[in-house]
Amino acid sequence: MRSRESIGFLFLVCALPVAAAQDCHIVATPVAFGAYDPYQAVSSAAIGTIELTCAEGTPYTIRIGFGQNTSDNTQRRMRHVGGMGMLAYNLYRNAAGTEIWGDGSHSTFVQSGMTDKTSDRLLVYGRLPGRQNVRAGSYADAVTVTAEW
């Protein structure tokens, strides 16, 4: 029987509490880019984590949703905390930024595996392109992290 657990994954705001289910627990820490400077020419990078705690040898699949501000499920966007403006970003399974972590649709990838110990810690690589035509300040988005086991 497959179980499913989802938690929100919050950017630039705060860490999330542990969510629990029968067999496994999942905890996500935020990808926090900090305040955005539109005059910065280079991309910003940040790393978050997803920690899955299950019995050893449990197969799992981790999916990450597209967030609250996407209009077409292909480009993640953060909204300015004052409500004015959107900032493009993305989340990746690899540090090179070639595998967009998503739900498996629209050429995105999911992360599947089998726990080799009681806890697997997965890294989420965030990339925020520089020189976007938006106002400076803080931006946020929330995505759903779903674990199936």
Side-chain angles (χ1 to χ4, degrees), residues 22-85:
Q22 285 181 354
D23 307 315
C24 297
H25 300 276
I26 183 173
V27 176
T29 59
V31 174
F33 295 102
Y36 186 71
D37 177 1
Y39 297 108
Q40 182 175 328
V42 297
S43 295
S44 299
I47 298 175
T49 62
I50 299 170
E51 189 164 348
L52 183 65
T53 304
C54 299
E56 187 173 344
T58 302
Y60 64 83
T61 299
I62 306 286
R63 302 173 195 283
I64 299 179
F66 289 96
Q68 298 175 325
N69 303 301
T70 185
S71 61
D72 58 4
N73 285 341
T74 59
Q75 176 60 63
R76 290 182 172 105
R77 298 182 299 172
M78 291 184 278
R79 181 179 300 279
H80 189 273
V81 294
M84 300 297 289

Side-chain angles (χ1 to χ4, degrees), residues 1-142:
M1 179 175 175
R2 294 182 68 84
S3 295
R4 178 180 283 203
E5 180 176 347
S6 297
I7 64 173
F9 198 46
L10 192 59
F11 296 92
L12 305 175
V13 181
C14 64
L16 299 166
V18 175
Q22 285 181 354
D23 307 315
C24 297
H25 300 276
I26 183 173
V27 176
T29 59
V31 174
F33 295 102
Y36 186 71
D37 177 1
Y39 297 108
Q40 182 175 328
V42 297
S43 295
S44 299
I47 298 175
T49 62
I50 299 170
E51 189 164 348
L52 183 65
T53 304
C54 299
E56 187 173 344
T58 302
Y60 64 83
T61 299
I62 306 286
R63 302 173 195 283
I64 299 179
F66 289 96
Q68 298 175 325
N69 303 301
T70 185
S71 61
D72 58 4
N73 285 341
T74 59
Q75 176 60 63
R76 290 182 172 105
R77 298 182 299 172
M78 291 184 278
R79 181 179 300 279
H80 189 273
V81 294
M84 300 297 289
M86 299 287 229
L87 185 61
Y89 76 99
N90 229 324
L91 304 174
Y92 301 90
R93 290 188 327 167
N94 61 345
T98 59
E99 298 177 353
I100 297 172
W101 201 335
D103 62 5
S105 67
H106 305 287
S107 301
T108 64
F109 294 82
V110 299
Q111 179 66 45
S112 295
M114 186 172 297
T115 56
D116 57 358
K117 47 193 176 296
T118 58
S119 182
D120 277 7
R121 186 173 185 214
L122 307 169
L123 298 178
V124 180
Y125 299 92
R127 186 164 297 149
L128 179 63
R131 295 225 185 242
Q132 295 187 50
N133 189 20
V134 296
R135 60 196 279 194
S138 297
Y139 288 76
D141 189 16

